Amino acid sequence: MRASADSCSLIDGRPAARRPVFEDGRQRRDFVHVTDVARANLAAIDRLPAGPPGSLRACNVGSGTATTIGEIAARLARIMGGPAPAVRR
């Protein structure tokens, strides 16, 4: 996955441009920090069952909190000192 222009400008300290939020911005996602995903993977490795190949199960990793795309866009704009995101329907 490639970083977006907004997140790159946040990292580099450049001013943010007004970026659009498509649809209505109310789409919900469960965002989780990469550190938490790494910890979950390490915990899963520590608990690997002894069994035949194919006996492993998939696990979902999440924060348990749904956040809208619009909320994330607004937070990034506020952090970067840029304008509020434009909603494109």
Side-chain angles (χ1 to χ4, degrees), residues 30 32 37 40 57-63:
D30 184 346
V32 61
V37 174
R57 296 185 325 215
C59 294
N60 291 319
V61 178
S63 69

Side-chain angles (χ1 to χ4, degrees), residues 8 13 16 22 25 39 60-61 68 72 74 82-83:
C8 288
F22 294 95
R39 284 187 186 132
N60 291 319
V61 178
T68 68
I72 291 293

Side-chain angles (χ1 to χ4, degrees), residues 1-21:
M1 182 194 288
R2 220 175 61 121
S4 72
D6 280 343
S7 61
C8 288
S9 62
L10 172 63
I11 293 166
D12 295 342
R14 290 179 279 147
R18 185 176 173 104
R19 300 284 183 208
V21 172

